[in-house]
Amino acid sequence: REFKERFGHCDVPLHYPENKTLSTWVQSQRKWYRHFINNGKYAKKLTKEKVRDLENLGFNWIPPARAENEQIWWKHFEDFK
């Protein structure tokens, strides 16, 4: 919550020297969430309740840079068709 209060969002950078532990933790949450998406099962460390709590804070499961790349890919795909 401290990061969100300070910056107004939950998009902790992959390399956040001010708090490397937080950056690593955020990446782990996203990894475990991808496991859920791909397998339909929550990882033991990421429960349905934790997902809900993070989403209530405004947590983005897809980092902004990756989301932007995804949008660009689909735009080029549409142009290609």
Side-chain angles (χ1 to χ4, degrees):
R1 290 183 184 208
E2 183 180 314
F3 183 93
K4 184 177 181 182
E5 289 174 10
R6 181 174 174 194
F7 295 102
H9 59 77
C10 296
D11 300 326
V12 179
L14 178 60
H15 302 288
Y16 183 51
E18 195 169 319
N19 190 336
K20 293 177 183 180
T21 303
L22 177 62
S23 179
T24 300
W25 181 84
V26 166
Q27 298 311 312
S28 294
Q29 304 314 299
R30 289 178 171 146
K31 178 183 75 174
W32 293 328
Y33 187 75
R34 281 192 307 273
H35 173 80
F36 163 69
I37 295 298
N38 293 329
N39 300 308
K41 298 178 186 175
Y42 284 96
K44 292 179 183 178
K45 295 182 180 184
L46 184 66
T47 64
K48 189 176 188 177
E49 293 75 25
K50 289 178 181 178
V51 169
R52 182 198 63 229
D53 291 345
L54 286 168
E55 288 177 345
N56 286 339
L57 286 174
F59 189 84
N60 292 316
W61 296 108
I62 301 173
R66 185 177 293 163
E68 184 179 322
N69 288 342
E70 186 77 9
Q71 290 173 347
I72 291 169
W73 189 93
W74 282 108
K75 181 193 178 311
H76 289 303
F77 177 76
E78 289 300 318
D79 291 345
F80 182 71
K81 290 195 315 189

